[in-house]
Amino acid sequence: MLLYIDMSLLAEQIKSTGVLEWFAVGFGVTSVLLARKNNVLLYPAGIIGILCSGFLLVDAKLYAETLLNAYYLVMSIYGWVMWKNRSSSGASQISRSTGTEQKITWAIALGGWAFLYFILTNFTDSDVPIVDAFVSSTAWAGMWLLAKRKLENWIWLNVSNIVAIPLLFHKQLILISFLTIFLFVVAVFGYFDWKKELDHSHGEFETV
């Protein structure tokens, strides 16, 4: 019975989804698929999706979510520049996180979690502040690592996804729940694809 209700809700959500929302979802999915392929075009695709989402969020008066979307926009522009930068300061190749980068990642995740929890509990009527804050802060960390072209970005993004999936079902956001499941699966393959490419490039380097 519960499955029937969920599927009915999914059908209703699909029917009520506007063109701009489909564009946002479509370009968002495209950016993740391109990220799996280690293709820099993930950033222009992602930026289009973020801008579409931004208009929807402002229209819905979800200003906190709009600010979160703005972070993704900034990190996408930063990542695009870093991926195109062929110098030693850029991120033209896949690599693993250094010790310093791991510390920064944890600082983003834990600091962001505390900050968002404070905001949600003091300035919103959120009934799931701990989980909601965790999903966003780990996604922040993953986005930062993606911009640096670090293999571990997929791990952090999927930590966010695996917690977000039951949260979204709990909130009856069925369409977004299924989308997040899809993104979780893509991220798993993305990790192994990137690891294979990283190992291959190291093998070539050692041969030379």
Side-chain angles (χ1 to χ4, degrees):
M1 182 64 179
L2 179 60
L3 178 62
Y4 173 77
I5 294 173
D6 287 347
M7 294 308 294
S8 298
L9 182 58
L10 174 62
E12 290 177 9
Q13 290 183 352
I14 291 174
K15 289 179 182 178
S16 63
T17 301
V19 174
L20 189 60
E21 189 172 351
W22 279 117
F23 268 104
V25 171
F27 278 102
V29 169
T30 300
S31 69
V32 174
L33 293 175
L34 287 169
R36 177 191 169 186
K37 296 296 183 182
N38 191 28
N39 191 320
V40 72
L41 292 178
L42 79 96
Y43 284 113
I47 288 170
I48 294 172
I50 290 168
L51 291 174
C52 290
S53 297
F55 283 112
L56 293 169
L57 291 170
V58 171
D59 186 59
K61 298 182 179 180
L62 295 172
Y63 302 118
E65 291 295 323
T66 303
L67 290 175
L68 180 60
N69 217 49
Y71 169 83
Y72 292 145
L73 178 60
V74 170
M75 291 307 299
S76 294
I77 295 171
Y78 172 70
W80 195 356
V81 172
M82 291 292 290
W83 280 41
K84 296 292 287 184
N85 185 351
R86 298 294 175 179
S87 70
S88 58
S89 62
S92 60
Q93 300 293 330
I94 298 171
S95 61
R96 294 182 182 274
S97 301
T98 64
T100 299
E101 288 167 338
Q102 290 176 21
K103 291 177 182 177
I104 294 173
T105 304
W106 278 98
I108 293 172
L110 296 178
W113 191 6
F115 170 74
L116 288 171
Y117 176 74
F118 173 79
I119 295 297
L120 291 173
T121 53
N122 288 281
F123 300 102
T124 76
D125 59 352
S126 173
D127 58 348
V128 284
I130 295 178
V131 180
D132 196 10
F134 180 84
V135 168
S136 293
S137 66
T138 48
W140 285 5
M143 281 292 292
W144 184 78
L145 287 172
L146 178 61
K148 307 289 278 186
R149 217 169 194 159
K150 301 298 178 179
L151 174 65
E152 295 82 3
N153 89 85
W154 296 110
I155 296 174
W156 282 93
L157 290 175
N158 256 358
V159 167
S160 176
N161 286 333
I162 203 167
V163 176
I165 291 167
L167 175 63
L168 292 167
F169 272 109
H170 170 68
K171 289 295 185 179
Q172 291 294 295
L173 297 171
I174 309 302
L175 182 60
I176 302 176
S177 301
F178 280 109
L179 173 62
T180 306
I181 292 172
F182 171 76
L183 296 178
F184 176 85
V185 173
V186 172
V188 170
F189 283 103
Y191 175 83
F192 287 107
D193 286 348
W194 277 37
K195 186 176 184 299
K196 182 179 179 181
E197 186 170 338
L198 180 61
D199 293 342
H200 179 70
S201 63
H202 281 179
E204 288 183 342
F205 179 78
E206 291 173 0
T207 300
V208 173

